[in-house]
């Protein structure tokens, strides 16, 4: 454990961070409900398990984002949502643990004003594409045309050496990851997982689910023979047409994921 970590010095779990800054007006209940639903959907679709997290930029304060406290996504309720500043400082955690890797979210929001939602996962299906030499995650069907011509891979060794725990533990690594994401929708993280960005919560959820599906299909297809990927033109056209249908997926997935869920 790092000796200059204030929480460690106080004998507290490293996930407990003092609140700072001024919390904006609370987000609407509907925003919290959708963020809870996103957590449940991603768990149901095996994008996240006990680990991984999803955030949404605060609709009334672009300098803040909403993210659950440190817990399994499948158990999140509205009461578990914590407001964070973009530098990762929680505003209202009130002693509850926060995610160690919250810097992934804040630094992508800081770099990308167009991004309204970020999802970080360890989805097993995508991991091979971050670790196999020469592998490139690319769209094999219209549902994942948003991947574009290639998916960048973040190499933490380039920024923090070869003895880290691979986690995005501070703002510097968050900035480096956001730089690697650049203007893409998805960045793979070597030996770790992936991070997905969307222009809305619904779009980010859609992209996370179909990134995983694309990884599964691409791996299957590559075992059969040379793969016929989408062309650049197909990526552009299919992204705009299929991407406009995210509500259809969201409405189904939310209904399934929230059936019987305790939401408060
Ligand atoms: Mn992680």
């Amino acid at each position: 454990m790092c000796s200059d970590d204030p929480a460690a010095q106080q004998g507290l779990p490293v996930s407990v961070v003092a609140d700072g800054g001024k919390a904006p007006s609370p987000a609407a209940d509907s925003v919290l409900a959708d963020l809870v639903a996103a957590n449940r959907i991603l768990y149901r679709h095996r994008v996240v398990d006990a680990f991984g997290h999803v955030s949404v930029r605060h609709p009334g304060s672009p300098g803040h984002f909403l993210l659950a406290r440190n817990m399994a996504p499948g158990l999140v309720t509205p009461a578990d949502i914590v407001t964070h500043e973009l530098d990762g400082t929680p505003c209202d955690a009130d002693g509850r643990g926060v995610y160690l890797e919250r810097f992934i979210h804040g630094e992508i929001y800081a770099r990308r004003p167009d991004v309204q939602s970020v999802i970080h996962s360890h989805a097993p299906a995508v991991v091979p594409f971050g670790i196999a030499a020469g592998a490139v995650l690319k769209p094999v069907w219209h549902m994942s045309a948003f991947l574009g011509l290639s998916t960048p891979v973040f190499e933490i060794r380039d920024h923090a050496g070869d003895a880290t725990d691979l986690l995005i533990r501070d703002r510097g690594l968050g900035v480096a990851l956001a730089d690697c994401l650049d203007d893409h929708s998805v960045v793979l993280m070597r030996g770790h997982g992936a991070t997905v960005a969307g222009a809305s919560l619904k779009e980010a959820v859609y992209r996370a689910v179909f990134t995983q599906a694309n990884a599964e299909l691409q791996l299957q297809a590559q075992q059969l023979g040379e793969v016929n990927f989408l062309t650049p033109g197909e990526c552009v056209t299919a992204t705009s047409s299929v991407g406009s249908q995210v509500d259809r997926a969201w409405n189904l997935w939310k209904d399934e994921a929230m059936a019987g869920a305790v939401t408060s």
Side-chain angles (χ1 to χ4, degrees):
M1 192 171 286
C2 190
S3 62
D4 60 359
D5 187 313
Q9 289 173 350
Q10 295 168 33
L12 297 171
V14 289
S15 61
V16 174
V17 178
D19 287 338
K22 184 177 183 301
S25 300
D29 287 348
S30 61
V31 174
L32 300 183
D34 277 353
L35 185 53
V36 168
N39 276 272
R40 305 289 180 122
I41 291 167
L42 293 167
Y43 174 61
R44 185 180 173 87
H45 286 261
R46 299 177 180 272
V47 174
V48 299
D49 48 25
F51 303 95
H53 21 88
V54 49
S55 71
V56 66
R57 196 190 289 271
H58 193 300
S61 178
H64 293 88
F65 64 96
L66 307 170
L67 178 68
R69 65 181 174 88
N70 191 332
M71 65 185 298
L75 300 176
V76 170
T77 73
D80 297 310
I81 306 298
V82 175
T83 303
H84 295 70
E85 305 215 323
L86 296 194
D87 69 3
T89 305
C91 300
D92 50 10
D94 197 22
R96 296 173 294 174
V98 292
Y99 290 124
L100 206 55
E101 294 193 289
R102 59 197 180 281
F103 307 104
I104 292 172
H105 303 260
E107 298 306 331
I108 290 175
Y109 290 128
R111 182 188 167 102
R112 293 272 303 271
D114 60 307
V115 170
Q116 301 300 320
S117 179
V118 173
I119 296 168
H120 169 62
S121 83
H122 306 159
V126 305
V127 171
F129 292 90
I131 59 181
V136 181
L137 184 66
K138 293 164 54 172
V140 295
W141 63 341
H142 62 312
M143 302 303 287
S144 47
F146 57 84
L147 289 172
L149 299 182
S150 68
T151 306
V153 178
F154 177 72
E155 174 52 86
I156 195 168
R157 291 176 192 150
D158 293 343
H159 307 278
D162 63 0
T164 71
D165 57 9
L166 292 100
L167 303 182
I168 306 298
R169 284 180 165 270
D170 57 39
R171 289 191 66 190
L173 288 172
V175 168
L177 179 67
D179 285 348
C180 188
L181 173 68
D182 196 24
D183 60 355
H184 293 267
S185 305
V186 179
V187 58
L188 302 179
M189 302 157 77
R190 193 271 311 158
H192 182 170
T195 296
V196 177
S200 68
L201 179 67
K202 297 174 185 179
E203 183 177 82
V205 168
Y206 167 90
R207 288 177 170 180
V209 169
F210 282 106
T211 295
Q212 178 167 259
N214 191 93
E216 292 167 348
L217 291 176
Q218 185 175 341
L219 191 60
Q220 291 168 15
Q222 285 175 329
Q223 291 168 338
L224 296 174
E226 186 175 348
V227 177
N228 194 349
F229 293 101
L230 266 59
T231 66
E234 287 170 342
C235 287
V236 172
T237 309
T239 295
S240 62
S241 70
V242 179
S244 66
Q245 303 294 311
V246 295
D247 279 353
R248 184 158 139 184
W250 173 264
N251 291 337
L252 171 65
W253 294 342
K254 182 177 180 180
D255 189 71
E256 289 175 338
M258 300 309 292
V262 176
T263 56
S264 61

